[in-house]
Amino acid sequence: MKSVNQNIIEKFNDLLGEEKVKVDEPMKRHTTFRIGGPADYFLLPSSEEELSGILKICKNEELPYFILGNGSNLLVGDKGFRGAIIQLYKSMGTFQVEGNQITAQAGCSLAQIANAALDAALTGFEFAAGIPGTLGGAVVMNAGAYGGEMKDVLTSVRVMTEEGEIMELPAEELGLGYRTSIIPEKRYIVLGAVISLTEGKKEEIKAQMDDLRQKRV
């Protein structure tokens, strides 16, 4: 029995354009373990408006959805996913550095942000340089390594509710603990975050990043 619905495909195509809508997409292409069966709908929004539109369609069609970064540490069964996979990696992956703050979208890789911090001689994000994954996932689970964690550097997080409402929340309201936050239970989608770092010396920052990468390998 076919689980995709032509009417739903057309709605996603109208919203995003056909090039950003994939049907029966093998998830093994999108996980670092290279396993996983097909997702009924694989969607690549490139703006908050498109993401909000997807959520509306999913709600109206009673379609389950899952937010995907770059698929690190993710196992997908051979039967795949009945519903929509919404990938925020790359298509929502811009960042900017201002003073000692980095404002980044959820789809940015932690390595990208760590390198941006290095370029700006900002210290405090070295711990994340070798963590495979995106900012969104790292915020959701308060990712950490080698004595550092996201809650040490997060100032605020931009989220979208299931209804498509956007909120800026201070980091202290997110219940960030060991590999946990309130984000999954509230079913928030992380859109981006503001990371606050301190001025440091480039060569020291690079040395620490290289050391931690080697340890991880």
Side-chain angles (χ1 to χ4, degrees):
M1 192 183 98
K2 205 84 172 113
S3 51
V4 295
N5 174 314
Q6 197 55 43
N7 178 40
I8 294 176
I9 295 169
E10 281 166 19
K11 286 182 178 175
F12 285 140
N13 284 344
D14 288 346
L15 175 68
L16 302 170
E18 288 180 26
E19 72 286 351
K20 292 195 281 189
V21 179
K22 299 176 192 290
V23 178
D24 288 330
E25 176 70 4
M27 286 305 294
K28 65 183 179 186
R29 293 179 184 165
H30 305 284
T31 62
T32 52
F33 290 114
R34 296 287 173 253
I35 60 171
D40 291 347
Y41 313 96
F42 190 89
L43 311 171
L44 298 157
S46 47
S47 69
E48 293 175 356
E49 293 72 28
E50 287 181 353
L51 177 58
S52 175
I54 291 170
L55 296 186
K56 283 197 182 76
I57 293 170
C58 288
K59 190 174 183 182
N60 292 340
E61 301 292 339
E62 297 181 348
L63 195 65
Y65 63 85
F66 180 82
I67 305 295
L68 179 71
N70 65 349
S72 62
N73 296 347
L74 182 71
L75 294 171
V76 181
D78 290 343
K79 289 180 180 172
F81 185 77
R82 304 288 70 79
I85 298 278
I86 306 167
Q87 187 174 50
L88 303 187
Y89 181 47
K90 290 182 182 168
S91 57
M92 289 180 73
T94 62
F95 66 87
Q96 62 191 69
V97 183
E98 283 179 62
N100 69 331
Q101 290 191 326
I102 299 176
T103 303
Q105 286 187 301
C108 276
S109 74
L110 297 179
Q112 258 182 310
I113 297 168
N115 287 328
L118 170 63
D119 289 344
L122 295 174
T123 182
F125 207 72
E126 292 89 335
F127 74 89
I131 299 176
T134 55
L135 177 63
V139 170
V140 170
M141 64 172 287
N142 185 30
Y146 307 113
E149 54 188 346
M150 293 303 296
K151 80 179 176 86
D152 301 336
V153 296
L154 284 174
T155 296
S156 63
V157 176
R158 187 174 172 85
V159 300
M160 184 178 286
T161 67
E162 285 190 287
E163 284 68 48
E165 182 195 350
I166 292 172
M167 300 189 292
E168 297 272 355
L169 300 173
E172 51 271 20
E173 285 181 21
L174 294 173
L176 296 164
Y178 181 73
R179 304 297 172 265
T180 184
S181 71
I182 63 164
I183 294 166
E185 66 188 70
K186 298 276 191 188
R187 290 188 63 79
Y188 291 152
I189 296 171
V190 175
L191 300 172
V194 177
I195 293 161
S196 294
L197 304 171
T198 50
E199 286 178 31
K201 292 188 176 146
K202 241 182 181 177
E203 55 279 8
E204 288 174 14
I205 296 166
K206 185 174 187 314
Q208 194 181 354
M209 279 168 61
D210 290 346
D211 181 45
L212 295 183
R213 276 204 195 98
Q214 278 305 113
K215 281 194 171 120
R216 184 167 278 276
V217 170

